[in-house]
Amino acid sequence: MKALVLEQQDKATLAEVKEIALPDMAQGDVLVDISWSGLNYKDALAITGKGKIIRQFPMVPGIDFVGHVSRSNDPRFSVGQSVILTGWGVGETHWGGLAEQACVKGDWLVPLPEGMAARNAMIIGTAGFTAMLCVMALEEAGVTPDSGTVVVTGASGGVGSTAVALLHTLGYNVAAVTGRESTHDYLRKLGASEILSRDDFAETRPLEKQLWAGAVDTVGDNVLAKLLAQTNYGGCVAACGLAGGFNLPTTVMPFILRNVRLQGVDSVSVPAERRAAVWERLMNTLPESFYQQAATEITLEQTPAVAADFLNNKIQGRTLVKITG
């Protein structure tokens, strides 16, 4: 099969599209012919070698994909069935989706929801899946459209842009935080009613004026600390990323004086039942217009160059990698 293969030479990561052979299938394995994959922040770190994502070489990156079953040793999946994979260490410790085929555990797969196009599933991808988990976390914390404005950081990225669209569709008033003026029109089309500069979140005090009923944060560090200091009494911040760093320079004051909840959101090891529920909600919530303005399409061969652009903050929305079909 054709795949993007990462290898290490003199501590540098080399990325090249080449022909390789998949390992033999084991019990419970499913062989998937991949139609679409995506380029995510974690993929870009792996492909460029800018982050310590890959521990074993050679590796095929790609943390998500959609395709149809070619062979199956798992009774839950039949030949020809359309399936989605996100997470589970695929593309990090197990060969991933930036290839024509993937051999994965059946436990890692979710059936493509009936009525959802494969391309649309990858426009959503890991980013959209994570965004829906964040929105559900806010709902489960009692944050409703009547509670007040919800703010989304890193709003022009894959997670942020999908979160903006989801929240707007569900009736929330959404403020979007971005570092690029060129994305303002894009974010307004997705449903943001207010655009804030990332520079406004550079410094914070332990407590600030209460502004937000809730937040979806993809950045971490000072930005997350600022959000916590500005969240309303009883509000919730769903944190799912660390694009700005993994530190959290805050105090206990938002938590013990304003009853603020900080909810961590992981998309890698979500149980199968909840995964299926998340995908159903995504299919039923995202408007058709979202799929028309939230994706850029590239080939497998273009992926290394686009990965560098990704880390240089030159990409907005989702980047789709067309594999076959």
Side-chain angles (χ1 to χ4, degrees):
M1 67 168 185
K2 185 169 71 171
L4 178 65
V5 181
L6 304 183
E7 297 181 288
Q8 196 169 51
Q9 187 175 54
D10 298 327
K11 296 186 178 181
T13 300
L14 307 178
E16 181 183 358
V17 175
K18 58 174 67 176
E19 295 284 336
I20 60 172
L22 276 168
D24 293 336
M25 293 176 66
Q27 184 176 1
D29 281 355
V30 180
L31 183 65
V32 180
D33 290 337
I34 298 172
S35 52
W36 298 91
S37 186
L39 184 64
N40 299 278
Y41 184 72
K42 189 177 286 186
D43 297 319
L45 288 172
I47 292 167
T48 60
K50 299 292 186 182
K52 294 182 179 179
I53 305 299
I54 308 300
R55 305 292 182 177
Q56 255 177 279
F57 293 88
M59 178 58 61
V60 177
I63 65 172
D64 53 21
F65 63 77
V66 63
H68 61 271
V69 175
S70 176
R71 291 170 55 195
S72 178
N73 289 338
D74 188 317
R76 295 171 294 179
F77 297 97
S78 57
V79 173
Q81 183 176 3
S82 295
V83 292
I84 307 169
L85 183 142
T86 61
W88 296 114
V90 172
E92 301 175 63
T93 58
H94 187 95
W95 284 7
L98 290 171
E100 292 178 328
Q101 291 184 311
C103 183
V104 297
K105 299 295 182 186
D107 288 342
W108 301 344
L109 295 170
V110 174
L112 182 70
E114 188 174 347
M116 179 178 283
R119 186 178 186 275
N120 287 355
M122 245 334 87
I123 290 176
I124 296 170
T126 295
F129 180 77
T130 306
M132 188 77 249
L133 285 169
C134 290
V135 171
M136 291 168 69
L138 296 182
E139 291 175 335
E140 290 160 5
V143 179
T144 70
D146 292 334
S147 301
T149 300
V150 173
V151 62
V152 178
T153 66
S156 60
V159 176
S161 60
T162 313
V164 170
L166 286 168
L167 288 163
H168 172 71
T169 303
L170 291 168
Y172 291 84
N173 188 63
V174 186
V177 181
T178 181
R180 290 180 286 165
E181 190 173 344
S182 61
T183 65
H184 288 194
D185 287 344
Y186 167 68
L187 291 170
R188 289 192 180 96
K189 287 178 182 177
L190 289 175
S193 59
E194 182 180 359
I195 311 290
L196 303 172
S197 171
R198 187 173 56 198
D199 293 340
D200 296 338
F201 290 76
E203 297 180 1
T204 185
R205 299 186 300 274
L207 285 177
E208 298 193 8
K209 182 180 179 180
Q210 298 179 56
L211 298 174
W212 319 118
V216 174
D217 179 54
T218 69
V219 180
D221 210 274
N222 287 338
V223 172
L224 178 53
K226 183 94 167 179
L227 290 176
L228 291 167
Q230 294 180 337
T231 298
N232 295 351
Y233 187 94
C236 177
V237 177
C240 65
L242 42 69
F246 53 76
N247 291 320
L248 182 54
T250 189
T251 71
V252 299
M253 292 176 70
F255 310 112
I256 64 174
L257 296 182
R258 290 186 179 163
N259 204 37
V260 169
R261 177 187 299 189
L262 173 59
Q263 178 63 57
V265 176
D266 163 66
S267 64
V268 175
S269 303
V270 180
E273 186 175 345
R274 186 163 175 86
R275 281 181 183 272
V278 170
W279 279 103
E280 287 295 330
R281 283 211 63 189
L282 284 161
M283 185 185 72
N284 294 328
T285 305
L286 283 170
E288 187 60 33
S289 60
F290 173 80
Y291 302 108
Q292 309 305 320
Q293 59 192 4
T296 301
E297 190 176 313
I298 63 173
T299 65
L300 192 59
E301 287 76 11
Q302 291 173 305
T303 305
V306 178
D309 288 341
F310 202 111
L311 296 185
N312 288 326
N313 204 27
K314 296 179 180 179
I315 304 296
Q316 71 178 31
R318 280 285 285 169
T319 300
L320 294 184
V321 184
K322 187 174 185 179
I323 307 295
T324 60

